[in-house]
Amino acid sequence: TFAHAGYNVALWDFAGHGSNPNSMPEERDENTLVADADAARTAAQANGFAVDRTAVLGHSMGSGMALSYGITHPETMATIAVSPVSRDVSPDLPRNLLLLAEGLDQRFVVNAEELLQQAGGQGGDPQDGTARQMEVIPGVEHITILFSSTAQQSARRWLDDTFGPQPGASDFTDRRMMWYLLGLVGTLLFFWSLSPLINSLDDGYEEEGMMTVGRRIGALLIGALGATGILYVLSSAGLNLNQLFGLLVGGYILVWFAVAGALSILLLGRLPVGFDRAAFFGSLMVFAALWVGLGLLGNYAWLPWLIIPKRLILWPLGVLLSLPWFIAVAQAVLPTAWWGRMLWWLGYTLILIGGLFLALRLNPELGFLVLILPVFPIVMGLHALAAGPYRWRVSFALGGALFVGWLVLAVFPLQ
């Protein structure tokens, strides 16, 4: 949006994020985040970009960076904080402050209101750097505010008010998310079309029938609550679960999957068998559909997906730890009709979210979880869709573990 509006744009990965191999500092403060911004500015200047007329924008954790940067670098002409966190601002700094908060998350609205009050209230003149404004973007939450055309155009207008309209600027609406969703649907349909070929490899093995509904639900529920309880005891005993395997929160989630799945499997009393050619290639099809459709296409719209070697070497471990949960869910769900799978998707997703939400309440250090819990139903739903044409429990379980292991390593910061 800014590039089409005629602005030079520099983006970067914070330490521990995306392709940045440097670990995220254990003690994060304003200075460590601003240091990454300074590095980006230096790199931009080294590549021939003028940096004497600069604005800064950040979202969530990045909003704290943006606010701190605008204060410590008073030459910054405009600061835009999206989903703002708390910082000590003043009527003088940052200059030309725009606060954008999501209407579906009151916490950030409250933060924005407090910041606006500290900054002297609504008003001011962008030409002398005193402008202050807060906008609540309706119908969006912490992630979707980034893709809101309302938020994007508000930010662009703020830059135009500060710097004036730029030469060569054009009106632009970012529709990449729409094309991304169409690409995701097309990818799923493509891999579904390959299922008859995979199913033809079936060696004729018949899997065991299903247990009672009560036993299956109970096993998953007790497994989820048991994992949360066990990890809480370990955390209380001094084990730093928040930074397992060098991942902020991500290591905890992987271990939670392992413990919850193992407990559930014990209660269910059996493992999936019949690992034949069809089940194996079915696993690869489930993984490929999700890796390409949700992940690789997302790399060009919103999600850093192509993980660096420092993350990649942890992938086998991530798959191994994720696998027990997906084995347990496969035992509970399959085989059943499509409408039954939809009901089970709702059931095991609620159990998963409930177990992790309880973990968050017991261990506030896992606070990052609250921002991503809404994503779990989508991920689990897409996994269920990708596995739909394959009736083998192994395909459901291994395909899900391969994908979620990768997803955790792509998303969570290196600590």
Side-chain angles (χ1 to χ4, degrees):
T1 298
F2 292 161
H4 281 273
Y7 295 97
N8 293 324
V9 182
L11 307 174
W12 69 91
D13 289 335
F14 283 108
H17 292 70
S19 297
N20 192 327
N22 299 313
S23 296
M24 190 175 185
E26 185 171 342
E27 296 296 329
R28 297 183 302 279
D29 58 24
E30 300 174 14
N31 293 329
T32 58
L33 298 177
V34 169
D36 284 339
D38 283 330
R41 176 175 175 146
T42 300
Q45 190 169 22
N47 280 276
F49 291 95
V51 295
D52 55 328
R53 285 162 35 95
T54 304
V56 61
L57 178 147
H59 167 252
S60 193
M61 181 187 79
S63 74
M65 175 281 305
L67 293 168
S68 297
Y69 191 88
I71 294 169
T72 58
H73 295 69
E75 71 278 8
T76 304
M77 298 179 66
T79 296
I80 303 172
V82 185
S83 303
V85 299
S86 297
R87 283 291 187 273
D88 292 326
V89 300
S90 72
D92 299 318
L93 293 173
R95 299 170 64 192
N96 291 337
L97 176 60
L98 174 63
L99 303 163
L100 300 177
E102 53 268 45
L104 298 182
D105 196 330
Q106 192 62 25
R107 295 169 304 163
F108 292 99
V109 174
V110 171
N111 285 348
E113 290 172 342
E114 292 176 351
L115 287 166
L116 182 64
Q117 184 177 8
Q118 291 178 35
Q122 198 102 340
D125 184 353
Q127 297 309 305
D128 60 19
T130 60
R132 271 90 177 87
Q133 185 171 316
M134 169 189 165
E135 292 184 34
V136 178
I137 309 301
V140 297
E141 44 73 59
H142 193 66
I143 295 176
T144 52
I145 190 173
L146 293 172
F147 311 112
S148 163
S149 60
T150 301
Q152 293 169 0
Q153 295 306 321
S154 294
R156 177 199 168 168
R157 285 194 300 271
W158 195 252
L159 295 186
D160 285 347
D161 289 343
T162 299
F163 299 102
Q166 299 299 297
S170 62
D171 292 329
F172 173 75
T173 300
D174 190 349
R175 294 189 173 90
R176 283 178 300 168
M177 289 305 290
M178 180 189 73
W179 291 110
Y180 167 60
L181 292 175
L182 287 174
L184 173 58
V185 171
T187 303
L188 289 174
L189 291 174
F190 171 76
F191 281 96
W192 283 348
S193 71
L194 300 178
S195 62
L197 175 63
I198 303 300
N199 292 337
S200 68
L201 302 174
D202 188 4
D203 292 334
Y205 177 82
E206 293 293 333
E207 292 191 323
E208 297 178 77
M210 292 170 42
M211 293 163 278
T212 63
V213 172
R215 182 176 177 182
R216 287 178 280 153
I217 293 177
L220 294 178
L221 182 60
I222 294 173
L225 296 178
T228 298
I230 290 171
L231 295 182
Y232 172 68
V233 171
L234 293 175
S235 178
S236 300
L239 182 62
N240 188 0
L241 300 176
N242 193 39
Q243 299 177 20
L244 285 174
F245 316 122
L247 292 173
L248 183 65
V249 181
Y252 177 94
I253 291 179
L254 292 174
V255 172
W256 187 95
F257 276 136
V259 177
L263 291 174
S264 300
I265 290 170
L266 287 174
L267 293 170
L268 289 168
R270 66 187 186 200
L271 290 167
V273 291
F275 190 73
D276 59 11
R277 293 180 303 163
F280 173 71
F281 285 110
S283 303
L284 297 183
M285 292 299 101
V286 172
F287 170 63
L290 295 169
W291 193 91
V292 174
L294 182 61
L296 186 61
L297 296 182
N299 193 69
Y300 300 97
W302 72 289
L303 179 67
W305 189 247
L306 301 176
I307 58 181
I308 58 177
K310 192 173 181 178
R311 296 175 180 271
L312 186 60
I313 60 175
L314 293 172
W315 184 40
L317 177 63
V319 175
L320 185 65
L321 292 173
S322 304
L323 189 58
W325 173 256
F326 284 96
I327 288 175
V329 171
Q331 292 286 64
V333 172
L334 299 176
T336 190
W338 69 267
W339 56 268
R341 288 192 182 194
M342 293 300 295
L343 291 175
W344 273 104
W345 159 75
L346 179 62
Y348 66 75
T349 300
L350 288 175
I351 290 172
L352 169 64
I353 291 176
L356 291 176
F357 182 76
L358 178 60
L360 173 62
R361 297 301 299 269
L362 293 174
N363 187 356
E365 290 185 355
L366 300 172
F368 186 47
L369 270 176
V370 73
L371 302 177
I372 64 166
L373 281 179
V375 177
F376 276 104
I378 299 172
V379 172
M380 296 302 165
L382 289 172
H383 166 246
L385 287 172
Y390 307 99
R391 66 180 183 86
W392 301 281
R393 294 186 175 106
V394 169
S395 298
F396 183 99
L398 182 55
L402 288 167
F403 176 71
V404 168
W406 187 289
L407 178 65
V408 169
L409 291 169
V411 169
F412 290 91
L414 294 171
Q415 187 69 59

